[in-house]
Amino acid sequence: MDISKEEEIMLNGDLGEGTRMAMEIILKLGEYYGAKNTVKIENVQISGISYKNLGDYGIDLLKKFKDSKIKVPSYLNPISFDPDYIEFFTNNNEFIKGQMEILDIFKSLGAHLSLTCTPYYLFEPKLNDHIAWAESSAIVYANSVLGARTNRESGISALAAALTGRAANYGLHLDKGRRATVQVDFDFNPGFFDYAVIGLFLGSMIKNGIPYFRNLENNKDALKSLGAALNASGSIPMFHAENITPEYKDAIQEKIEKLIISKDEINNFRLSITANMDPDVVMIGCPHLSHEELKNISAFIKKRKVKNGRDLIFFTSRKVREESMDYVNIIKNSGAKIFTDTCMVVSPLQERYSVVGLNSGKATYYVGKERKVFFSDMVTLMEMVTDEN
Ligand code: F3S
């Protein structure tokens, strides 16, 4: 690979051992994927920072980078609890200490403690910006809705990108890596919740590649849900949506496979993965809820109360919560809980419940590995655990 003077200095260890290791990781990745050089990146998003994921082994690994400093704005994924309500999540002091140590390390490296999987609500990368994001749902959104360019980074390769300001120049950084590989049509008009089911279904069916959708609605929350599910059950870091994805006109350069998804297929798939049991908790906010979603939830829940013995929990980012306090207060008045900085997957919360109601394809994919999941649309779920006033 071609290496610049600046990269050579990093590789020599002149900027510290952490930066040297980070540069080595970027170059090794580049060699593996056949990159000719690196590309300078605008910002980074680092995932896998919950103590539930990392554990003590991960902390020891992170400590190896402690003598270095982050070079570009770098944002963090959710952690294992909402720091304002730790007691609701865990009373295990070792667990709390471990999570706080991880945050301290990232703080000393210079990361923003944003703790959200929706960094695009903090700032929007611009068209064709090269970025290095690791949160699987955010990667799809950045590539497909915003037209920024990122590969599916791991937590460690995103950290390496943060410490060097670079990513290996391959895959989705290049025009040719962003071409569609399969065209997808429907025999019906998908509603909001269908996007989550379609994502989960299609991801598990095609596993990888870049779908080209012809009939999607330009609803950013639905597209967020679709992308999150696609990149959970499959390894699909981008889709093209006609008239939505900025570069959709260049997406198909040669004959590609065509698929038609029917309403029956989607319904049968949903029924095959959902438990036919009432949920004792409903958790909504995977990926973290937007201002608009909180607005819709508050309108629905205004005249309702959470039933005794049930829980209704929402997840969003600290920033979106602060911008949506009117809606947040209405939601809390119903007896529902709103947490920030964490979620149903990276926290130990699901351990408190036996049947979890979810409207997210991604959350269903992960929570479903450990718990029974009732997978349905948001209104149905909220109706199941609330009563009218
Ligand atoms: Fe975000 Fe957690 Fe879902 S990190 S995308 S809410 S699994």
Side-chain angles (χ1 to χ4, degrees):
M1 277 174 76
D2 293 340
I3 302 179
S4 69
K5 196 88 208 128
E6 213 182 321
E7 288 166 350
E8 211 172 291
I9 291 170
M10 290 194 251
L11 198 58
N12 288 341
D14 296 349
L15 300 185
E17 177 59 10
T19 307
R20 188 199 66 70
M21 288 192 298
M23 196 65 236
E24 199 172 293
I25 289 169
I26 299 293
L27 294 177
K28 283 260 182 309
L29 262 176
E31 276 164 26
Y32 183 80
Y33 286 104
K36 291 198 174 73
N37 52 15
T38 66
V39 61
K40 287 195 177 177
I41 48 171
E42 303 293 328
N43 52 68
V44 171
Q45 198 267 354
I46 304 170
S47 69
I49 67 151
S50 69
Y51 183 71
K52 187 181 163 192
N53 285 337
L54 270 183
D56 292 329
Y57 172 80
I59 293 178
D60 289 343
L61 183 67
L62 279 181
K63 282 181 183 163
K64 294 188 199 288
F65 295 91
K66 264 185 105 173
D67 68 342
S68 305
K69 280 283 170 214
I70 279 174
K71 293 201 171 39
V72 291
S74 297
Y75 301 83
L76 300 180
N77 229 28
I79 57 171
S80 289
F81 45 74
D82 180 335
D84 295 337
Y85 301 94
I86 296 179
E87 64 293 341
F88 191 75
F89 289 80
T90 181
N91 53 17
N92 179 337
N93 286 333
E94 287 305 303
F95 188 90
I96 298 166
K97 209 173 119 233
Q99 184 63 76
M100 288 317 195
E101 193 174 355
I102 292 167
L103 280 189
D104 282 347
I105 295 173
F106 276 109
K107 200 170 167 188
S108 74
L109 290 172
H112 293 280
L113 304 188
S114 50
L115 310 186
T116 179
C117 48
T118 53
Y120 39 86
Y121 297 150
L122 311 182
F123 68 98
E124 276 199 2
K126 295 192 297 300
L127 180 64
N128 294 328
D129 271 0
H130 291 276
I131 59 179
W133 287 13
E135 159 49 40
S136 63
S137 65
I139 291 163
V140 192
Y141 193 90
N143 281 314
S144 319
V145 179
L146 305 176
R149 298 183 168 220
T150 176
N151 282 318
R152 183 177 171 151
E153 302 290 349
S154 65
I156 197 73
S157 70
L159 175 61
L163 293 170
T164 58
R166 284 161 174 77
N169 196 12
Y170 71 95
L172 293 161
H173 290 291
L174 304 171
D175 289 347
K176 69 171 193 279
R178 300 172 70 82
R179 306 275 190 249
T181 57
V182 54
Q183 180 178 310
V184 182
D185 291 302
F186 307 105
D187 76 349
F188 65 107
N189 282 330
F192 188 97
F193 173 61
D194 291 329
Y195 283 57
V197 191
I198 290 166
L200 212 47
F201 175 70
L202 193 62
S204 63
M205 185 160 73
I206 66 174
K207 293 293 177 204
N208 51 43
I210 299 182
Y212 181 99
F213 296 103
R214 292 205 301 175
N215 292 305
L216 295 183
E217 231 181 90
N218 196 357
N219 176 325
K220 293 214 163 51
D221 291 318
L223 297 171
K224 170 177 80 168
S225 174
L226 169 73
L230 275 172
N231 213 10
S233 60
S235 183
I236 297 174
M238 176 175 189
F239 61 78
H240 289 276
E242 209 162 272
N243 298 317
I244 299 172
T245 303
E247 67 213 82
Y248 80 92
K249 285 184 181 156
D250 301 323
I252 300 179
Q253 303 269 327
E254 56 194 32
K255 208 164 181 280
I256 56 173
E257 190 193 344
K258 290 185 182 171
L259 278 178
I260 298 177
I261 296 180
S262 69
K263 182 76 183 160
D264 281 352
E265 270 177 305
I266 290 301
N267 284 345
N268 291 339
F269 174 73
R270 187 191 78 78
L271 289 173
S272 74
I273 58 171
T274 192
N276 196 13
M277 298 163 92
D278 272 12
D280 43 3
V281 63
V282 164
M283 299 196 199
I284 291 170
C286 171
H288 277 173
L289 293 164
S290 67
H291 180 77
E292 194 61 25
E293 286 173 305
L294 286 170
K295 181 181 168 185
N296 294 339
I297 291 164
S298 72
F300 175 82
I301 216 164
K302 210 171 185 161
K303 297 197 174 127
R304 302 185 75 91
K305 281 270 176 265
V306 176
K307 289 178 183 172
N308 275 339
R310 307 290 181 99
D311 275 330
L312 175 56
I313 302 176
F314 299 97
F315 299 95
T316 186
S317 65
R318 208 158 268 266
K319 171 154 183 287
V320 169
R321 186 186 64 178
E322 276 161 17
E323 290 168 355
S324 316
M325 279 318 288
D326 288 353
Y327 307 137
V328 167
N329 289 333
I330 292 170
I331 293 168
K332 281 169 115 177
N333 277 340
S334 72
K337 297 171 173 52
I338 297 196
F339 295 122
T340 62
D341 308 331
T342 187
C343 80
M344 65 288 266
V345 173
V346 299
S347 75
L349 215 48
Q350 53 179 279
E351 290 165 16
R352 297 169 67 121
Y353 305 98
S354 53
V355 184
V356 184
L358 298 167
N359 69 335
S360 156
K362 176 174 177 179
T364 295
Y365 181 79
Y366 287 108
V367 175
K369 291 179 190 290
E370 295 174 41
R371 286 285 174 279
K372 289 194 169 45
V373 170
F374 187 84
F375 182 37
S376 189
D377 66 277
M378 188 164 73
V379 168
T380 302
L381 291 171
M382 290 197 293
E383 277 175 342
M384 288 174 100
V385 293
T386 60
D387 284 324
E388 272 183 280
N389 270 345

